Amino acid sequence: MKQIVPSFCSSSFLLISRLLAIFLCISPTQSRFSVKIGNDVLSQICAQTEDRNSCLKALQSDPRTASTNLYGLAQISINLANATATETKTKIKSQLGQTTDPNLYDKYLHCLDSYVNAVSKINYANERWSIKDFLALEAAASDCLIDINTCKDVTTPASPFLPQQNDKSHLLCSAMLTIAKRLAAGNN
Ligand SMILES: *[C@@H]1O[C@H](CO)[C@@H](O)[C@H](O)[C@H]1NC(C)=O
């Protein structure tokens, strides 16, 4: 008995200190981004975009949002921005083939260029996201907004879809930017 107690104590002490060491090594990197996104944080993120309610609606339209962390939410915003910008690009292309008004044709051509660039920024953002380069992700999201603005600025269109698509694309890149900023700052 006299020998069992001390050896039990020292072995459990060893075990506990090992666990503690493992925990201390893992937690600084893991806990930073592993927290599930709550509605409060989602609200805060969307409040920093130009349209809080549409932002919430868009992010929550993806079922992954309910159970993901900030890192996962970044990719959701990237995927949503990609889908909308790609859709806009496709619509502009198809309008180009049908437009007879030379003024409108020029505007569509200009916007096609903007959206080709925006889509490539979004896909670059995804590459940076995958290697956790959050500063570059932030820069790419910001570039995406600039590209979309060059189409917004030029358009006073008799276009049936462009103003709406511009707003939606702008909002999603704006959500991407807000999330990227939080990741870059190390916030949850
Ligand atoms: C963007 O959409 C295109 C076309 O659907 C797809 O091929 C590409 O993988 C998407 N990229 C991202 C980052 O979602």
Side-chain angles (χ1 to χ4, degrees):
M1 263 325 253
K2 268 175 199 161
Q3 276 177 339
I4 289 171
V5 174
S7 77
F8 172 76
C9 281
S10 67
S11 71
S12 58
F13 174 75
L14 258 177
L15 183 67
I16 288 167
S17 46
R18 263 185 211 154
L19 284 175
L20 193 65
I22 290 169
F23 177 76
L24 287 176
C25 288
I26 291 173
S27 63
T29 46
Q30 285 242 315
S31 69
R32 255 174 82 189
F33 305 124
S34 64
V35 181
K36 202 179 105 177
I37 288 283
N39 283 336
D40 50 338
V41 176
L42 213 54
S43 248
Q44 277 172 27
I45 288 168
C46 284
Q48 285 173 278
T49 68
E50 62 266 28
D51 183 347
R52 181 184 164 278
N53 288 342
S54 302
C55 166
L56 279 174
K57 215 171 139 187
L59 291 177
Q60 283 166 341
S61 74
D62 191 308
R64 290 175 295 172
T65 298
S67 59
T68 195
N69 58 15
L70 188 65
Y71 183 64
L73 189 68
Q75 194 176 39
I76 292 168
S77 72
I78 291 168
N79 294 152
L80 289 169
N82 183 50
T84 302
T86 303
E87 181 191 55
T88 308
K89 193 179 86 176
T90 308
K91 284 188 173 180
I92 294 171
K93 265 189 191 160
S94 90
Q95 284 299 308
L96 261 178
Q98 298 167 29
T99 304
T100 48
D101 176 352
N103 239 327
L104 195 54
Y105 186 89
D106 281 352
K107 283 169 183 170
Y108 278 140
L109 207 55
H110 179 96
C111 283
L112 182 59
D113 193 45
S114 306
Y115 274 90
V116 167
N117 290 333
V119 168
S120 101
K121 299 299 167 32
I122 294 165
N123 282 282
Y124 178 69
N126 191 53
E127 277 173 35
R128 296 288 106 187
W129 171 86
S130 67
I131 59 164
K132 299 198 162 117
D133 182 353
F134 300 133
L135 283 175
L137 171 62
E138 185 183 332
S142 172
D143 286 346
C144 174
L145 287 175
I146 293 168
D147 289 332
I148 290 164
N149 281 335
T150 65
C151 173
K152 281 182 92 156
D153 291 347
V154 86
T155 330
T156 45
S159 162
F161 69 94
L162 207 42
Q164 207 186 349
Q165 287 290 126
N166 271 333
D167 287 349
K168 203 174 158 195
S169 306
H170 193 276
L171 178 66
L172 290 167
C173 281
S174 186
M176 230 173 94
L177 178 61
T178 306
I179 296 164
K181 277 184 178 163
R182 289 179 85 98
L183 281 170
N187 293 334
N188 282 311

